[in-house]
């Protein structure tokens, strides 16, 4: 305890993913607030994991790698000052588990950061709320990085990927076809607009800034949504599959997807985009590529580390 109780804890939070196919049902049940999925729902989700090369394991490894990468970067910038912990929304270690581990290690002050650059009450806000409640219970003083969607190093990393993706797409489509850049993010229920939630505005701000850095003209990009939940309430749209149909009607033959709402290779990228959207595009006569994800990119690690160090100024 004496080794860590003078350090600042960093709770790195994300949505979470199962560790193996055996964990999919428990994971899905947690997402559904304790209601077990039907056999059909479970099979559909399991099939999606199985369709990804390597199953669920790379998804968990991506998050573990980002937490380790952030620890390394913080150690470079502020040796001996920070120690990172992981907390997941829907899988172990849960957010509360991460806070409890900090308490066991004697941590008294901590910063929380979510592996998602854009703030929504329903996403980042809910992570922070759970962490704050457990931290208050255990006597840990905690501050939070609310968002980092316009951090210069994040924008640089994304713009470099858009530029590289456009070059790759030009080579694969023969340079002749007009290209549309589609920035995307996980949809949320439409009711967030009535709540004055900043999520949509922040995503558009990131997209606009990245497009300008990558020299993509305003008429050559647009924003679209993906991965909406299947509930009775309406979700933000249009969905990327609908957007592709419109673009096909407009004569667009090449699309670069830039899922700026995601920071690593997750199911929503590897399945929803790489398999589902790519197949839909092919059927419409569109060549679809996507940017490479941030994962452990040094610029992203610096974005996280600098955001953590700026949050709270826990001196």
């Amino acid at each position: 305890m004496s080794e860590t109780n003078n350090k600042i804890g960093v709770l790195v939070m994300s949505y979470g993913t199962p560790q193996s196919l055996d964990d999919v049902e428990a994971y899905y049940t947690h997402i559904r607030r304790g209601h077990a999925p039907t056999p059909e729902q479970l099979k559909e989700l399991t099939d999606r994991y199985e369709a990804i090369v390597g199953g669920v394991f790379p998804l968990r490894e991506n998050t573990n790698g980002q937490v380790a990468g952030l620890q390394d970067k913080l150690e470079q910038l502020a040796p001996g000052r920070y120690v990172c912990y992981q907390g997941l929304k829907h899988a172990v270690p849960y957010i509360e588990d991460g806070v409890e581990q900090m308490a066991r290690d004697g941590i008294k002050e901590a910063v929380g950061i979510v592996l998602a650059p854009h703030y929504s009450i329903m996403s980042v806000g809910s992570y922070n709320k759970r962490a704050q409640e457990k931290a208050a219970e255990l006597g840990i003083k905690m501050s939070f990085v609310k968002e980092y969607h316009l951090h210069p190093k994040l924008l640089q990393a994304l713009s470099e990927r858009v530029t590289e993706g456009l070059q790759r797409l030009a080579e694969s489509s023969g340079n002749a076809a007009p290209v549309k850049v589609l920035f995307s993010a996980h949809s949320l229920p439409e009711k967030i607009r009535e709540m004055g939630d900043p999520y949509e505005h922040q995503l558009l701000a990131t997209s606009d800034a990245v497009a300008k850095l990558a020299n993509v003209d305003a008429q050559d990009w647009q924003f679209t949504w993906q991965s909406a939940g299947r509930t009775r309430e309406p979700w933000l749209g249009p969905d990327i599959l609908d957007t592709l149909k419109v673009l096909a009607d407009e004569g667009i033959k090449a699309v670069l997807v830039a899922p700026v709402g995601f920071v690593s290779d997750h199911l929503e990228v590897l399945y929803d985009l790489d398999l589902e959207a790519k197949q839909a595009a092919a059927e419409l006569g569109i060549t679809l590529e996507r940017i490479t994800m941030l994962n452990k990119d040094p610029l992203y690690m610096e974005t996280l580390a600098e955001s953590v160090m700026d949050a709270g100024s826990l001196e």
Side-chain angles (χ1 to χ4, degrees):
M1 180 179 290
S2 61
E3 294 181 5
T4 56
N5 60 8
N6 61 340
K7 293 187 177 184
I8 295 174
V10 179
L11 183 65
V12 187
M13 295 175 281
S14 62
Y15 194 80
T17 194
Q19 296 190 65
S20 71
L21 291 173
D22 292 337
D23 297 328
V24 172
E25 184 171 8
Y27 169 72
Y28 206 171
T29 299
H30 193 274
I31 291 173
R32 291 167 51 82
R33 300 181 182 181
H35 300 286
T38 65
E40 294 78 15
Q41 290 171 326
L42 179 60
K43 183 181 186 303
E44 181 182 11
L45 183 58
T46 302
D47 287 349
R48 289 187 173 215
Y49 281 117
E50 290 181 330
I52 298 171
V53 176
V56 298
F57 299 101
L59 309 186
R60 177 60 71 104
E61 288 168 7
N62 287 337
T63 302
N64 292 345
Q66 288 176 317
V67 176
L70 174 56
Q71 179 68 67
D72 290 344
K73 184 57 65 176
L74 284 168
E75 193 62 24
Q76 290 175 20
L77 297 175
R81 183 159 175 75
Y82 296 93
V83 56
C84 289
Y85 298 80
Q86 187 171 171
L88 306 175
K89 185 175 183 180
H90 292 299
V92 292
Y94 293 109
I95 290 169
E96 293 79 5
D97 297 333
V99 179
E100 287 175 353
Q101 186 59 56
M102 286 195 292
R104 284 194 293 270
D105 290 346
I107 295 293
K108 300 298 183 186
E109 297 182 339
V111 176
I113 188 167
V114 180
L115 296 175
H118 308 88
Y119 181 85
S120 170
I121 299 167
M122 296 182 68
S123 59
V124 173
S126 69
Y127 293 70
N128 293 350
K129 184 174 185 288
R130 283 173 57 178
Q132 180 59 61
E133 288 175 353
K134 181 55 69 171
E137 176 188 319
L138 297 174
I140 297 175
K141 177 186 174 185
M142 198 155 190
S143 60
F144 295 91
V145 177
K146 191 174 180 181
E147 71 264 325
Y148 48 91
H149 64 292
L150 291 178
H151 192 289
K153 291 180 180 177
L154 174 73
L155 300 179
Q156 180 185 346
L158 291 171
S159 66
E160 288 175 357
R161 281 162 167 72
V162 169
T163 299
E164 183 275 332
L166 288 172
Q167 292 172 344
R168 179 161 32 93
L169 191 54
E171 293 168 3
S172 64
S173 61
N175 266 319
V179 176
K180 182 74 77 170
V181 177
L182 288 183
F183 294 99
S184 72
H186 201 300
S187 180
L188 289 178
E190 281 185 6
K191 64 184 179 185
I192 68 166
R193 287 174 172 163
E194 301 167 13
M195 299 161 63
D197 193 286
Y199 183 64
E200 186 173 10
H201 300 292
Q202 289 187 2
L203 284 161
L204 289 172
T206 298
S207 302
D208 182 62
V210 171
K212 286 174 178 171
L213 283 172
N215 295 314
V216 177
D217 292 338
Q219 70 270 19
D220 293 330
W221 72 268
Q222 66 188 74
F223 191 85
T224 191
W225 298 98
Q226 63 170 92
S227 312
R230 296 179 182 178
T231 62
R232 294 178 182 176
E233 60 185 326
W235 287 56
L236 296 170
D239 183 82
I240 188 169
L241 300 182
D242 297 320
T243 299
L244 289 171
K245 294 173 186 175
V246 173
L247 293 178
D249 290 341
E250 294 174 354
I252 296 295
K253 297 296 183 183
V255 166
L256 177 67
V257 184
V260 293
F262 302 95
V263 296
S264 68
D265 291 299
H266 286 319
L267 190 68
E268 293 84 356
V269 174
L270 298 176
Y271 186 90
D272 295 2
L273 295 179
D274 290 2
L275 297 179
E276 191 174 47
K278 196 156 193 170
Q279 179 181 341
E283 292 171 358
L284 293 166
I286 295 175
T287 300
L288 184 147
E289 297 281 348
R290 71 160 169 86
I291 64 170
T292 56
M293 301 308 293
L294 293 169
N295 294 316
K296 285 178 64 177
D297 182 281
L299 286 171
Y300 182 49
M301 294 300 100
E302 289 175 25
T303 297
L304 294 175
E306 291 174 8
S307 297
V308 164
M309 294 171 69
D310 288 343
S313 298
L314 299 174
E315 297 291 344

